[in-house]
Amino acid sequence: MNKDLYIYNSLTSQKELFKETSANEVSIYVCGPTVYSSSHMGHARSAIVFDTIVRFLKFIGFKTNYVRNFTDIDDKIINRGIEEGVRPEDIAEKYKTEYIEDMESLGCLQPDFQPSVSENIPEIISLIEDIIKKGFAYEKNGDVYFNVQKFNGYGKLSKQSIDSILVNTRLEINPNKNFGLDFALWKTAKENEPYWSSPWGKGRPGWHIECSAMSRKYLGENFDIHGGGRDLIFPHHENEIAQSECVSDKKFANYWMHNGLININKEKMSKSIGNIINIREGLKLWNKNIIRTLFLTHHYRTPVDFSSKKLEEIEKTLLNTKKRVPTNESLSTKFKELWVSAMLDDFNTAKAFGYYFKFINDGSLSPETDSEVSEFEETMGISGWRDENIQSKKDTIVDEVRIKQIIFERDRARKDKNWIKADELRYEAEELGVKLLDKEGKTTWEPC
Ligand SMILES: [Zn+2]
């Protein structure tokens, strides 16, 4: 079988033949979550995409070294701790444990390494020292900043010049910085914040430096694949490249892979719209095989619209194939050839799933007797779905996604004293079979 693998590299904006740095091994680093709240479907998509990529790399014979980090030191974690009156490390620990459980519930294999920032402070300090020694960073009043203008090629991943970034960025006023786009490698601790001792005094690392330090520790200065959501391209990944390459004088990651984001009912998922769906909430309604299949029937680079309607369609499609009995001569070898070649072409899971449904539906593939079926399902992380009850709980729980949105929009309308709009939203909820209940300034709902 042809085993040439092509990967779309965000750095060069083209598909390139994959050549590993170390024979038959793939080193892969993916940016993980900041653990300050429950993880949502955006995290689920990124995790499922890279889980499937790693499964496929193993399937075609590579040994993989897969690293995914936890950002467990961050302003958001500290603020959450203050809000709840608990130590930031307890917040981080709670959501780290939750994330690991969520990944297991989604059928994602554990990465080979899951390092946390708090366990890698010496490595981070040592990398910052190297950057300063090379003349790419400066210290001021206990903060250390990266000198963006010094690094040739800043902006190469996001395809922007420093001038165009300046035009498009709202800069904070910070007297410690020499230049507006310079970013913090180390920040002085404010009062009551967690801190670590460093050559620059008590403080903590900036966000970007952790991934440069942890990838260097686990995968070396040059490694194969760096992945993450496309929202991380700028500034996070751009800054990782600058920090790492200025010290090593080597290419940081050979292939950059970015997964597309998700929309909820065609709207961007965001806190300000109030339509965030947590993984554990989602899993109460929909079976993990449905969620995985929804994501994987899209190419990893395209956006996914996550909605009850779409999930129901996937549920129907899967249940349909469950009922099929093979009627034609087995084309299992052909099936394998086709889905593998789709995956070798920039991990086209959407095309691969297309073959899966087609061959089962036209009766030329038997889940009972063709081992190629279980091979495919294993690689997509949906093995065993036939023995599970994959039907969603829609009889008891209505379209919760839309209802959350309605409640949010109605709150806003009521704040604006737009009573007509508020009433319209109430009617819409009733049409979905739901009664809204206002109590002590909060709106909840129950089936009506
Ligand atoms: Zn990162």
Side-chain angles (χ1 to χ4, degrees):
M1 200 188 303
N2 165 32
K3 273 177 97 176
D4 283 351
L5 168 66
Y6 285 84
I7 297 181
Y8 180 89
N9 189 348
S10 312
L11 186 65
T12 56
S13 306
Q14 55 192 16
K15 271 187 213 170
E16 293 172 4
L17 179 64
F18 177 72
K19 186 79 200 75
E20 69 271 30
T21 44
S22 169
N24 299 320
E25 284 188 23
V26 181
S27 43
I28 173 165
Y29 186 97
V30 177
C31 296
T34 302
V35 277
Y36 73 104
S37 64
S38 293
S39 296
H40 54 64
M41 283 300 162
H43 298 113
R45 185 182 190 196
S46 180
I48 288 169
V49 160
F50 288 101
D51 177 62
T52 309
I53 287 170
V54 167
R55 282 169 182 267
F56 182 69
L57 290 168
K58 288 181 198 283
F59 174 71
I60 55 173
F62 284 109
K63 178 185 178 298
T64 54
N65 290 312
Y66 175 23
V67 183
R68 185 179 58 214
N69 69 304
F70 282 114
T71 300
D72 65 346
I73 301 174
D74 187 87
D75 285 340
K76 293 189 197 109
I77 302 170
I78 295 170
N79 293 339
R80 185 82 192 242
I82 295 168
E83 272 166 34
E84 293 188 11
V86 283
R87 299 184 313 158
E89 48 270 49
D90 294 337
I91 298 280
E93 207 43 51
K94 175 180 170 198
Y95 291 109
K96 212 187 280 182
T97 309
E98 224 188 57
Y99 183 81
I100 292 172
E101 286 168 6
D102 287 352
M103 290 304 109
E104 205 187 323
S105 315
L106 288 169
C108 293
L109 303 173
Q110 296 253 1
D112 300 288
F113 302 99
Q114 301 192 73
S116 294
V117 184
S118 61
E119 300 156 355
N120 284 277
I121 300 292
E123 287 80 356
I124 289 172
I125 290 177
S126 142
L127 179 58
I128 297 175
E129 286 179 311
D130 290 349
I131 298 174
I132 295 176
K133 254 183 251 155
K134 282 263 194 166
F136 285 87
Y138 55 91
E139 185 266 344
K140 211 164 180 188
N141 299 323
D143 288 352
V144 180
Y145 294 96
F146 189 89
N147 180 346
V148 162
Q149 285 162 303
K150 179 98 194 274
F151 181 71
N152 258 337
Y154 189 78
K156 65 182 170 184
L157 181 68
S158 54
K159 320 279 179 316
Q160 331 171 65
S161 65
I162 288 187
D163 288 340
S164 65
I165 300 171
L166 272 177
V167 172
N168 297 321
T169 313
R170 203 189 307 154
L171 298 171
E172 42 144 13
I173 310 283
N174 180 342
N176 286 343
K177 280 191 196 180
N178 291 345
F179 178 64
L181 292 182
D182 291 350
F183 58 89
L185 302 176
W186 189 264
K187 301 195 248 192
T188 307
K190 296 188 199 108
E191 218 177 305
N192 297 325
E193 275 186 0
Y195 63 81
W196 287 262
S197 298
S198 81
W200 319 285
K202 289 172 180 171
R204 61 192 167 96
W207 172 32
H208 315 293
I209 192 69
E210 63 185 65
C211 291
S212 287
M214 291 190 260
S215 60
R216 174 162 94 156
K217 175 174 171 183
Y218 290 96
L219 304 175
E221 289 179 323
N222 166 249
F223 58 94
D224 295 312
I225 299 173
H226 193 314
R230 53 174 309 114
D231 52 333
L232 296 178
I233 294 177
F234 185 82
H236 184 54
H237 289 165
E238 199 71 73
N239 292 350
E240 282 187 37
I241 292 178
Q243 297 161 157
S244 297
E245 294 190 354
C246 79
V247 168
S248 69
D249 290 319
K250 288 180 194 149
K251 194 175 192 180
F252 178 44
N254 292 341
Y255 304 85
W256 282 87
M257 296 184 67
H258 292 101
N259 64 273
L261 306 181
I262 70 166
N263 294 317
I264 306 283
N265 287 334
K266 299 195 176 122
E267 267 196 273
K268 195 180 162 216
M269 184 176 74
S270 81
K271 281 224 162 69
S272 57
I273 302 176
N275 61 355
I276 290 186
I277 304 175
N278 292 336
I279 295 173
R280 34 194 64 199
E281 270 176 25
L283 283 167
K284 278 188 210 152
L285 303 180
W286 305 294
N287 181 279
K288 67 128 173 125
N289 296 297
I290 308 265
I291 295 174
R292 282 189 83 104
T293 306
L294 172 66
F295 288 141
L296 297 176
T297 46
H298 292 73
H299 192 280
Y300 75 87
R301 282 190 276 125
T302 59
V304 169
D305 187 35
F306 193 94
S307 64
S308 300
K309 196 168 156 255
K310 289 272 173 281
L311 289 152
E312 275 167 35
E313 280 167 22
I314 295 290
E315 183 189 301
K316 243 185 244 159
T317 312
L318 277 174
L319 287 174
N320 227 346
T321 66
K322 199 173 183 175
K323 289 184 214 128
R324 297 280 163 179
V325 262
T327 46
N328 296 328
E329 187 191 337
S330 171
L331 292 179
S332 57
T333 320
K334 181 85 193 148
F335 165 67
K336 179 170 181 174
E337 204 182 291
L338 287 168
W339 80 259
V340 171
S341 70
M343 289 296 283
L344 288 170
D345 182 14
D346 193 29
F347 307 102
N348 196 334
T349 54
K351 210 166 170 186
F353 262 95
Y355 293 126
Y356 172 70
F357 291 133
K358 180 180 176 295
F359 278 66
I360 292 182
N361 285 333
D362 71 12
S364 45
L365 207 51
S366 161
E368 307 276 297
T369 52
D370 292 329
S371 62
E372 286 80 358
V373 175
S374 42
E375 210 171 47
F376 172 84
E377 291 172 351
E378 176 64 36
T379 309
M380 298 298 149
I382 58 163
S383 58
W385 74 264
R386 254 168 260 281
D387 305 323
E388 287 179 37
N389 175 14
I390 60 161
Q391 248 154 348
S392 64
K393 315 247 170 26
K394 56 181 174 283
D395 295 344
T396 45
I397 302 169
V398 243
D399 189 344
E400 198 171 18
V401 180
R402 181 61 198 141
I403 292 161
K404 276 178 92 173
Q405 233 170 333
I406 289 176
I407 291 177
F408 183 82
E409 285 169 24
R410 185 167 159 269
D411 277 350
R412 195 160 50 187
R414 296 206 306 170
K415 254 181 226 144
D416 298 341
K417 302 203 180 349
N418 186 346
W419 309 116
I420 296 174
K421 172 101 182 153
D423 279 345
E424 277 171 10
L425 288 160
R426 174 183 285 280
Y427 298 143
E428 190 185 336
E430 280 168 13
E431 267 168 33
L432 289 168
V434 161
K435 201 161 107 191
L436 299 182
L437 308 166
D438 299 313
K439 210 173 162 192
E440 290 159 15
K442 261 200 157 176
T443 307
T444 53
W445 60 271
E446 61 180 30
C448 59

